[in-house]
Amino acid sequence: MTTTEFIPVSQKTYEEISDLKGPNRTFDEIIANLVEQAKKQQLENDVEAILARNRFVEI
């Protein structure tokens, strides 16, 4: 399903996303990739925080 939304961004941000896009990719693909990367980074940060606490329950 496709939804058309308007997301205001600065001219600089638009240009940077456009640079990532290139001729053969869509803005949707670029944004989806950025979201996926952000989710992976958040998971990595969460795991590192858990390991740093060094408190585990024996199972």
Side-chain angles (χ1 to χ4, degrees), residues 29-52:
E29 291 170 326
I30 296 302
I31 293 168
N33 182 262
L34 292 171
V35 168
E36 186 65 28
Q37 288 178 17
K39 286 180 179 180
K40 287 178 182 178
Q41 185 63 52
Q42 184 60 56
L43 177 61
E44 184 177 317
N45 293 346
D46 292 346
V47 168
E48 287 177 8
I50 291 167
L51 292 174

Side-chain angles (χ1 to χ4, degrees), residues 1 4 8-9 13-14 17 19 23 28 35-36 40 42 52-53 55:
M1 182 174 149
T4 301
V9 296
T13 299
Y14 178 82
I17 293 172
D19 289 344
D28 184 68
V35 168
E36 186 65 28
K40 287 178 182 178
Q42 184 60 56
R53 286 189 290 241
R55 293 186 329 197

